[in-house]
Amino acid sequence: MEAVTDAPVISPSPRLEPPPASMPETIVKVEGLTKRYDSLTAVDDISFHVSRGEIFGILGPNGAGKTTTLECIETLLAFDAGDVRVQGIDVRTDPLEVKRRIGVQLQSSAFFDRLSLNELLTVFGEIYGRRVDPASILDEVDLRAKLQSKVSELSGGQRQRFSIAAALVHDPPVLFLDEPTTGLDPQSRRHLWGVVRRIKTEGKTIVLTTHYMEEAEELCDRVAIMDHGCIVALAPPHELIARLLADGFRKERIERHANLEDVFLALTGHALRED
Amino acid sequence: MRLIGVLTLASARMFFRQREAILWTLILPLFLIVLFGFIRFDGTTTLEIGLVGPRSPVADSLRAALARVDAVTLHAGSRESETELLRQGERDLVVVLPGGLRQGDSVLVLADLEAKPSQTQLGRLILRTILDETVLSDLESVTRPRLVVEAVVTRNLSYIDFLVPGVISMSIMQMGIFGVAFGFVSMKKRGILRRLSITPLRTMDFIIAQVITRVTVLMLQMGLMLAVGVLFLDLHFVGDILSLTVLAILGAIVFLSIGFALAGSSRSEDQVAPVANLISVPMILLSGVFISRAHLPGPVYAITEIFPLTFLADGMRAIAIDGASVLEVWPQTLGLLVWSAIAIVLASRLFRWE
């Protein structure tokens, strides 16, 4: 249906790749989205498009409106103004159809107690009318060994990955991840980046929020930086950096070729500790 | 339909993997039945009589005759200690025998005439008879009319027959109000319902699965209580299982709906608990679960007439013990139908995912 060039073949680092020149298919379209809570305007007339196959990051300090924006697209929140569509479907007039097309990892997702991951994924699949193979879904997030475990027996990183697995049961074209790596140790965070990249290579579109600039730089094709409910910048990360440097910005300190996280990882290794 | 089946199976798994739930829903009602069955606190209590006075052959034969009366529990002690026990309510009567006990001597009976008029009366009759037989035994020649007792077999309904249908009804209420309200509020608070709300799952499918699971557990609970009652506690169960099941399900619909209404209007367990108790405790005490409503004062009795638990307990009792059908107990059935309509409207108005 569409002709997207296989970016990694041309360049080993997809984040440096400029967006395809041909007209990309828009998966998520947000136009003039506004959400008010009494006197507070949480999201103030924002617009952006997300194209098929890209990882789109929404950055911003706490209270900037990241989660509110996501929840409006996910049909969880009613909004005051704007046009929000997923694959052309209006989230206001046909929320059920939108729900069928999106996979969502909430900031704090809870699942039923006392069911194994296997049973949970089976139930979630059935909700979408699918008979799924839980083992192969868990494979995608490197949790196959935990097929018979309960969510309460998982570590923080494993829970986040299971939450992504549960969002993937119905093979949705677009995935929303709300702060997927908050609270994880550096090993788990890097591991989750690998999982997200792998999902992207399967042709899925991913919209994520994060507090970690390094994560955004590492994963996102484009980022929208939000503050006080508005988008203050929207571009690929390297472009934003180039713009800042062109304006004459220089870091005060001497450039170092490693930081403390590199030291930490060199000392403790990249291997996951939880499995 | 397939989805409802899968969801029901999942919620049944969750239920039976929860040890405390099994304890509360299956073991506790049985425990209550056995406990209250032994206390029998509506039953024919015996007359506690303290017997004091000096020993003599006549006094001893009087003591022996009193001890043979099943309705009497005899205690011996000093006059002071027995009188004190009478004041504390541990004795119904204290009988003070004089030294010789000849004709013309009087036997003193101490009793609280206002608090225990019927016990006093009964005690006096028993004492009168025994005194006559003991003291006048040597005057046997007097021809008195004789009392002849003939055995007749009756249905012999016991407290257990009253108690078991009541506890079954109470369990249905507790499962509905507490099981549903606490379960859903906890799922709501922890974000499980929110996670489900981003899926295309229809609320009704989820609720139907929950209702099927709980009704199944209730049926198990009822079967277990009836089985234990009949096998070990001499329960006179003559009921028609179908009628009993229909009425139990009707009761379950009423109380599950109340549970959903509560779950919908509360945000946390702390908010649910007082309301749930406010609804259930008066019904447990006043709807004739453990104690017959017959002793309630008029206005209270009138109010308890329309309690949903009264309809359920009375109906269950009539079906299980008197062998009535669900149609023969139509006032109770109708009462529960009206309550289920009210509760379903409330639940659909108040229930929210978030």
Side-chain angles (χ1 to χ4, degrees), chain A residues 52-210:
Chain A
R52 175 182 285 273
E54 78 173 329
I55 300 184
F56 186 87
I58 302 177
L59 315 179
N62 279 334
K66 306 184 296 292
T67 299
T68 306
T69 304
L70 277 197
E71 290 183 347
C72 289
I73 308 172
E74 292 160 358
T75 76
L76 278 177
L77 273 182
F79 45 89
D80 299 288
D83 184 33
V84 178
R85 287 166 192 274
V86 174
Q87 288 193 314
I89 295 153
D90 191 328
V91 303
R92 286 218 254 209
T93 56
D94 199 356
L96 204 63
E97 192 50 43
V98 170
K99 284 175 184 174
R100 290 202 181 93
R101 288 157 193 261
I102 61 173
V104 177
Q105 180 209 35
L106 296 169
Q107 219 173 79
S108 56
S109 275
F111 295 93
F112 297 120
D113 311 302
R114 292 180 289 274
L115 290 186
S116 66
L117 304 193
N118 184 21
E119 290 161 342
L120 278 171
L121 291 179
T122 305
V123 170
F124 271 83
E126 292 287 346
I127 289 174
Y128 293 91
R130 291 180 179 233
R131 296 186 195 188
V132 297
D133 174 16
S136 70
I137 294 171
L138 288 178
D139 248 350
E140 291 193 53
V141 297
D142 301 330
L143 275 180
R144 194 189 190 117
K146 299 287 177 184
L147 193 61
Q148 301 304 335
S149 304
K150 312 265 156 59
V151 175
S152 56
E153 297 158 5
L154 301 182
S155 70
Q158 289 170 334
R159 271 181 211 207
Q160 289 296 61
R161 279 184 278 141
F162 175 69
S163 185
I164 293 176
L168 289 173
V169 286
H170 53 304
D171 195 21
V174 54
L175 199 59
F176 293 89
L177 309 176
D178 198 357
E179 296 187 15
T181 63
T182 296
L184 302 188
D185 68 19
Q187 281 90 351
S188 306
R189 181 177 306 151
R190 268 148 217 280
H191 182 231
L192 201 123
W193 293 350
V195 169
V196 171
R197 280 202 205 93
R198 202 157 67 210
I199 293 167
K200 175 194 158 100
T201 61
E202 288 162 12
K204 295 202 190 304
T205 308
I206 296 163
V207 180
L208 61 84
T209 67
T210 182

Side-chain angles (χ1 to χ4, degrees), chain B residues 4 6 12 42 83 98-99 121 141 174-175 178 194 210 239 249 252 280 299 324 330 334:
Chain B
I4 291 176
V6 171
D42 80 314
T83 311
Q121 207 170 30
S141 55
Q174 298 298 76
M175 164 77 90
F178 287 87
R194 189 172 166 80
Q210 295 285 326
I249 290 178
S280 65
W330 65 268
L334 189 69

Side-chain angles (χ1 to χ4, degrees), chain B residues 3-209:
Chain B
L3 176 58
I4 291 176
V6 171
L7 289 170
T8 305
L9 184 65
S11 66
R13 277 192 176 127
M14 286 186 265
F15 183 85
F16 285 105
R17 286 177 191 172
Q18 194 183 359
R19 276 201 208 98
E20 49 294 20
I22 294 173
L23 186 78
W24 282 101
T25 54
L26 298 181
I27 313 292
L28 186 74
L30 276 183
F31 175 76
L32 283 177
I33 287 175
V34 173
L35 182 76
F36 282 90
F38 278 119
I39 294 179
R40 296 175 175 264
F41 73 118
D42 80 314
T44 44
T45 48
T46 62
L47 216 52
E48 305 288 329
I49 296 183
L51 193 60
V52 301
R55 295 191 61 146
S56 67
V58 194
D60 284 349
S61 57
L62 181 72
R63 201 183 308 273
L66 266 178
R68 278 195 298 274
V69 180
D70 284 341
V72 170
T73 307
L74 212 52
H75 304 272
S78 70
R79 180 168 176 172
E80 290 72 29
S81 66
E82 288 299 311
T83 311
E84 183 52 33
L85 287 166
L86 177 70
R87 288 208 179 86
Q88 288 168 8
E90 299 289 317
R91 300 285 181 267
D92 295 312
L93 305 170
V94 171
V95 179
V96 185
L97 299 176
L101 207 63
R102 311 222 154 269
Q103 290 183 32
D105 282 349
S106 54
V107 175
L108 177 64
V109 175
L110 304 172
D112 186 336
L113 297 173
E114 285 200 6
K116 295 180 169 173
S118 57
Q119 284 92 326
T120 311
Q121 207 170 30
L122 183 65
R124 277 181 59 190
L125 283 170
I126 293 173
L127 278 170
R128 181 78 263 154
T129 312
I130 288 179
L131 276 173
D132 287 353
E133 283 176 0
T134 313
V135 180
L136 307 177
S137 56
D138 33 340
L139 302 174
E140 199 56 72
S141 55
V142 179
T143 45
R144 289 177 287 176
R146 292 190 309 141
L147 273 180
V148 181
V149 178
E150 209 174 271
V152 174
V153 178
T154 67
R155 269 181 65 224
N156 188 24
L157 291 184
S158 68
Y159 181 54
I160 281 292
D161 300 318
F162 177 84
L163 183 68
V164 173
V167 173
I168 291 176
S169 308
M170 183 190 77
S171 304
I172 293 174
M173 175 176 81
Q174 298 298 76
M175 164 77 90
I177 296 185
F178 287 87
V180 167
F182 279 81
F184 268 77
V185 167
S186 154
M187 282 196 271
K188 195 195 291 199
K189 205 172 99 186
R190 290 168 49 214
I192 294 175
L193 294 188
R194 189 172 166 80
R195 178 63 186 83
L196 289 175
S197 71
I198 48 171
T199 71
L201 177 63
R202 277 178 305 201
T203 314
M204 224 358 121
D205 287 351
F206 188 64
I207 288 177
I208 289 171

